[in-house]
Structure formats: structure tokens, C-alpha cells
């Protein structure tokens, strides 16, 4: 549990650097990490800068390790996000 708490703390701190915050899923239905109307084949937004690509890949690594430790409830979402490792937008 301590490792997962550390992940939440690290992810929250990284998002705050960009003026964003981690959204809580309490008291609301979570439909997943991507908007339900997202169509990646139509996405023409620019790729993110290398610093953010590295941050994205680091966070995915932390999520994968949390899955290994038993957090199987985030496995599908992590797998979906992993599809965008090469060129996140």
C-alpha cells in the first residue's frame, strides 16, 4: 500500500508542476483514462515535448509495478495508455 501511496504523491506533484491536478474518482463513474469519444486515428494534435514523453513513460512504469504488487484494478487502463508510449499527445 505504501508504494501505491507514493505513486499517487509523485503523480500529483508532477501534474501540479503543469498547473493540473489528479482527479478523484470518488462519487463518480469513471469511464477510463481516455474520453469516450476519443478517436486516436483522427488526432492531429502535436506530440508532446521529450520531457513530457519521459514523464509519461515513467508513470506507466510505476503503474505497471503497482499492478505487479496486486493493483489489478488498473490493468486495463494502464494497457490502454501504454498504446501511446511511442508518441504521446
Amino acid at each position: 500500500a505504501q508504494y501505491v501511496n507514493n505513486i499517487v504523491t509523485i503523480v500529483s506533484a508532477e501534474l501540479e508542476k503543469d498547473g493540473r491536478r489528479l482527479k478523484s474518482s470518488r462519487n463518480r463513474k469513471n469511464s477510463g483514462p481516455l474520453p469516450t469519444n476519443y478517436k486516436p486515428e483522427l488526432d492531429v494534435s502535436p506530440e508532446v515535448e521529450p520531457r513530457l514523453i519521459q514523464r509519461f513513460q515513467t508513470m506507466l512504469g510505476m503503474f505497471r509495478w503497482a499492478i505487479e504488487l496486486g493493483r489489478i484494478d488498473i490493468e486495463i487502463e494502464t494497457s490502454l495508455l501504454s498504446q501511446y508510449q511511442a508518441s504521446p499527445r
Side-chain angles (χ1 to χ4, degrees), residues 5-6 15 29 36 40 52 58 63 67 69 81 84:
N5 289 335
N6 287 342
L15 290 173
K29 186 177 178 182
T36 55
L52 295 177
T58 299
F63 298 154
I67 292 167
L69 295 175
L81 289 172
Y84 304 101

Side-chain angles (χ1 to χ4, degrees), residues 3 13 16 44 49-50 52 55 69 72 79-80 86:
Y3 184 79
E16 285 178 18
V44 294
E49 59 188 77
L52 295 177
R55 179 192 296 176
L69 295 175
I72 59 172
S79 178
L80 286 171

Side-chain angles (χ1 to χ4, degrees), residues 2-88:
Q2 182 64 34
Y3 184 79
V4 174
N5 289 335
N6 287 342
I7 289 174
V8 172
T9 302
I10 291 168
V11 170
S12 294
E14 288 295 320
L15 290 173
E16 285 178 18
K17 289 179 185 178
D18 296 331
R20 302 172 72 194
R21 64 183 187 88
L22 191 62
K23 296 177 183 175
S24 172
S25 63
R26 290 185 183 152
N27 300 325
R28 71 177 176 90
K29 186 177 178 182
N30 190 356
S31 60
L34 301 171
T36 55
N37 62 348
Y38 180 66
K39 298 192 183 328
E41 65 276 9
L42 302 176
D43 190 353
V44 294
S45 59
E47 293 180 9
V48 297
E49 59 188 77
R51 173 183 66 88
L52 295 177
I53 291 173
Q54 183 178 10
R55 179 192 296 176
F56 181 73
Q57 293 170 341
T58 299
M59 288 180 185
L60 282 175
M62 289 188 289
F63 298 154
R64 284 192 189 115
W65 185 245
I67 292 167
E68 290 293 322
L69 295 175
R71 287 299 310 264
I72 59 172
D73 58 312
I74 63 170
E75 186 172 12
I76 292 173
E77 291 83 357
T78 301
S79 178
L80 286 171
L81 289 172
S82 294
Q83 297 175 35
Y84 304 101
Q85 264 191 111
S87 60

